[in-house]
Amino acid sequence: MRRNFRRLIVYGKNLKLQRKPTKSFTALMEGKINKQLKKVLKKIVKEAHEPLAVADAKLGGVIKEKLNLSCIHSPVVNELMRGIRSQMDGLIPGVEPREMAAMCLGLAHSLSRYRLKFSADKVDTMIVQAISLLDDLDKELNNYIMRCREWYGWHFPELGKIISDNLTYCKCLQKVGDRKNYASAKLSEFLPEEVEAEVKAAAEISMGTEVSEEDICNILHLCTQVIEISEYRTQLYEYLQNRMMAIAPNVTVMVGELVGARLIAHAGSLLNLAKHAASTVQILGAEKALFRALKSRRDTPKYGLIYHASLVGQTSPKHKGKISRMLAAKTVLAIRYDAFGEDSSSAMGVENRAKLEARLRTLEDRGIRKISGTGKALAKTEKYEHKSEVKTYDPSGDSTLPTCSKKRKIEQVDKEDDITEKKAKKANIKVKVEEEEEEEEVVEEEETSVKKKKKKGKKKHIKEEPLSEEEPCTSTTIPSPEKKKKKKKKRDNED
């Protein structure tokens, strides 16, 4: 047992003392058996009566398959390996502690370099730096172009309205310079014939101020900077496209290069992005709006960086939230497949994108379809029938003269007179009835007032003197209600 342990330690010492130990260590990292390890293990197989302790389970499985040697991998074995590493100076004689520390440090550096080189295409830090630089270049280009247009606009303001493209504007300016040179200049490389003729005509009647040669030189230098930065920007965009197709091909198919790169940069790395849920990826980039909505208790945002994807952009406004939610769910699957999967094909992304496009088509066509049990029945279109009324021409509106009424018959006149008389009688009867009711109310009020006066007189014990025969009667006679009823009947009979 001690001999076998010493053989394994000598094998490890030989690996550490090698100048280029990457081959043997890469074989161990990949779970492969090296030639030297094979020789040592073959000698151990003849004498070994107990299972072999292995720190890597994958390597133990390979040893068991090829050499029929039973292996053990457990927490106890890991503790044993840790003890061996801590006592390595005493187990390997003839090696100083300084040399051993230097060898361990060199081995750790070589292993870390190997791991980086092994997945050079999977390094997503390049994507983070490239997309950040691309955004910075866009900002700088916008500032430079705005300054160039404003500066040269003092000399030739009409050119900015004629040429809308920024790059062609700078190229024309770099080639011509002063506006006096536009008459003899040939701009057919950058502009069509119609635009070129318009530029030359505007240069002759321009309202701009005169500028010195030194000012023109500085403006031309700024134009060269703009052209160089724009060329570098196109080159950087191609580099980013290639890098995204190598690292995250499925994400690139789903949301595009720029949106995918911005998602990776926002999360920090592809592995960190793979740990996020679909709902987090959906609103990634809209954190301020999310916390503002939560604070004010309003509706939370439906999308963040994913809003700039082509699938979300081509949908109608009422379906944008639904499509962004579905796209985020499928994008998370593509991110995890790219981060943890061994296959580098984009078949999964193409399939999921086709499903999303089909779903988008059904959402857009839902207004045309009828609501039925299956939801697939097409709306039945009825035959078109012209239901509008045809209006005929009315010639009565043409004449302005008053129309003479037709003569009525004698019978019609008699009937109308009878009707009017009946209506007048009914109205008179109603008026009389109302007047009589008012008179009754007045009489009742007078009777009540007389009764009250009598009661007051009794209380005061005042004796009333009888009226003499000579004095005239000043009291008013009050008609009784029976007489009033008789008068009403007489009036009704007279009518």
Side-chain angles (χ1 to χ4, degrees):
M1 185 72 182
R2 287 180 180 176
R3 287 179 184 177
N4 297 335
F5 186 66
R6 284 176 183 174
R7 284 172 185 169
L8 287 172
I9 289 172
V10 169
Y11 172 68
K13 181 182 175 182
N14 291 333
L15 286 178
K16 285 191 175 182
L17 292 174
Q18 284 178 3
R19 289 184 180 179
K20 295 180 180 180
T22 52
K23 289 183 180 179
S24 54
F25 273 112
T26 51
L28 288 173
M29 293 293 293
E30 292 174 2
K32 296 177 182 178
I33 301 174
N34 197 14
K35 288 182 180 180
Q36 293 179 356
L37 183 61
K38 233 182 213 182
K39 289 179 182 178
V40 173
L41 290 174
K42 280 180 180 178
K43 291 176 182 178
I44 290 170
V45 168
K46 295 177 183 178
E47 301 175 3
H49 301 287
E50 293 179 1
L52 180 68
V54 181
D56 189 6
K58 191 176 180 181
L59 182 64
V62 175
I63 291 168
K64 190 174 181 179
E65 285 179 4
K66 292 188 176 180
L67 301 172
N68 292 324
L69 183 64
S70 60
C71 300
I72 295 175
H73 174 72
S74 63
V76 179
V77 174
N78 291 331
E79 289 293 324
L80 180 63
M81 293 292 177
R82 189 177 63 81
I84 291 168
R85 281 196 297 272
S86 62
Q87 302 294 327
M88 190 68 74
D89 299 335
L91 294 172
I92 301 175
V95 181
E96 295 182 1
R98 290 182 179 178
E99 292 180 0
M100 182 63 70
M103 284 191 291
C104 291
L105 185 63
L107 179 62
H109 283 211
S110 62
L111 276 174
S112 60
R113 286 194 199 98
Y114 163 72
R115 285 182 177 178
L116 285 173
K117 287 178 182 177
F118 180 73
S119 61
D121 293 335
K122 292 287 181 182
V123 178
D124 47 10
T125 53
M126 305 299 172
I127 289 174
V128 175
Q129 299 298 327
I131 191 64
S132 302
L133 180 58
L134 197 69
D135 292 337
D136 293 339
L137 285 176
D138 288 335
K139 290 178 183 177
E140 292 298 323
L141 268 174
N142 288 331
N143 290 329
Y144 282 2
I145 289 163
M146 182 184 68
R147 187 64 54 203
C148 182
R149 280 179 175 272
E150 189 176 352
W151 198 354
Y152 193 71
W154 287 98
H155 180 57
F156 189 11
E158 293 82 7
L159 186 66
K161 296 178 182 179
I162 297 167
I163 301 172
S164 59
D165 189 26
N166 295 320
L167 191 59
T168 53
Y169 181 87
C170 292
K171 286 179 179 178
C172 291
L173 204 155
Q174 189 183 27
K175 188 174 182 179
V176 178
D178 198 350
R179 73 179 178 209
K180 296 177 183 177
N181 302 328
Y182 277 97
S184 60
K186 292 182 179 179
L187 302 173
S188 57
E189 299 177 4
F190 315 117
L191 301 171
E193 294 180 0
E194 297 175 358
V195 180
E196 185 181 359
E198 190 177 356
V199 168
K200 289 179 179 179
E204 293 177 358
I205 57 169
S206 179
M207 298 294 291
T209 59
E210 295 294 332
V211 181
S212 63
E213 292 182 0
E214 187 178 358
D215 296 331
I216 292 291
C217 289
N218 287 317
I219 294 169
L220 293 177
H221 183 66
L222 181 60
C223 289
T224 53
Q225 292 291 323
V226 170
I227 292 166
E228 288 175 1
I229 290 171
S230 59
E231 288 175 356
Y232 175 64
R233 198 249 180 215
T234 54
Q235 182 183 353
L236 184 66
Y237 180 68
E238 290 176 0
Y239 164 76
L240 182 65
Q241 279 182 326
N242 297 330
R243 183 59 66 186
M244 279 296 293
M245 285 303 296
I247 293 174
N250 295 291
V251 179
T252 307
V253 171
M254 291 297 296
V255 294
E257 301 88 8
L258 293 174
V259 178
R262 285 195 178 95
L263 287 172
I264 292 169
H266 199 83
S269 65
L270 189 64
L271 291 174
N272 291 340
L273 186 62
K275 294 173 186 177
H276 290 316
S279 58
T280 309
V281 172
Q282 183 181 350
I283 59 168
L284 207 65
E287 287 84 5
K288 285 185 180 179
L290 174 65
F291 292 120
R292 195 188 304 119
L294 292 173
K295 189 176 181 181
S296 59
R297 294 182 181 181
R298 294 180 181 176
D299 293 335
T300 54
K302 295 179 181 178
Y303 27 66
L305 292 169
I306 208 167
Y307 178 79
H308 300 285
S310 60
L311 278 171
V312 180
Q314 68 189 11
T315 57
S316 58
K318 63 179 180 179
H319 297 310
K320 280 187 188 293
K322 196 173 286 186
I323 287 295
S324 63
R325 186 174 65 249
M326 291 188 288
L327 181 61
K330 296 295 183 183
T331 305
V332 166
L333 293 176
I335 290 164
R336 290 169 185 171
Y337 187 82
D338 290 333
F340 305 114
E342 297 178 356
D343 191 8
S344 61
S345 65
S346 61
M348 178 191 175
V350 173
E351 184 180 354
N352 287 334
R353 188 180 175 87
K355 288 179 182 177
L356 283 174
E357 287 175 352
R359 176 64 177 159
L360 176 61
R361 270 186 246 107
T362 55
L363 284 173
E364 294 293 336
D365 297 340
R366 185 173 284 179
I368 303 169
R369 294 176 180 272
K370 267 190 175 180
I371 298 168
S372 63
T374 57
K376 296 180 181 179
L378 287 168
K380 294 179 180 179
T381 55
E382 297 177 356
K383 283 186 177 182
Y384 175 74
E385 293 180 1
H386 187 68
K387 296 179 181 179
S388 63
E389 296 178 359
V390 180
K391 293 183 178 181
T392 57
Y393 179 70
D394 187 12
S396 63
D398 293 342
S399 64
T400 57
L401 297 172
T403 57
C404 58
S405 59
K406 294 179 181 180
K407 291 182 179 180
R408 292 179 293 176
K409 294 180 180 180
I410 298 169
E411 295 176 357
Q412 291 179 354
V413 174
D414 294 337
K415 286 180 182 178
E416 289 176 0
D417 293 337
D418 294 337
I419 291 164
T420 52
E421 284 177 1
K422 286 179 181 179
K423 288 181 179 178
K425 284 180 182 180
K426 287 180 182 178
N428 292 329
I429 290 164
K430 286 181 181 178
V431 170
K432 288 177 182 179
V433 169
E434 289 175 358
E435 289 176 355
E436 288 172 359
E437 288 177 355
E438 288 176 0
E439 288 176 359
E440 287 176 1
E441 289 176 359
V442 171
V443 170
E444 287 176 359
E445 288 176 0
E446 288 177 356
E447 286 177 356
T448 52
S449 63
V450 169
K451 287 178 182 179
K452 287 179 182 179
K453 285 179 182 180
K454 285 180 180 180
K455 287 179 182 179
K456 287 179 182 179
K458 286 179 183 179
K459 286 179 182 178
K460 291 179 181 179
H461 301 283
I462 298 168
K463 294 180 179 180
E464 294 180 356
E465 294 179 0
L467 292 169
S468 61
E469 296 176 356
E470 296 176 356
E471 290 178 354
C473 185
T474 56
S475 63
T476 56
T477 57
I478 299 166
S480 62
E482 294 178 356
K483 292 180 179 180
K484 285 183 179 180
K485 289 179 181 179
K486 289 178 181 179
K487 286 181 180 179
K488 280 184 184 179
K489 288 179 180 180
K490 287 179 180 179
R491 285 174 185 174
D492 292 335
N493 296 324
E494 287 175 0
D495 293 335

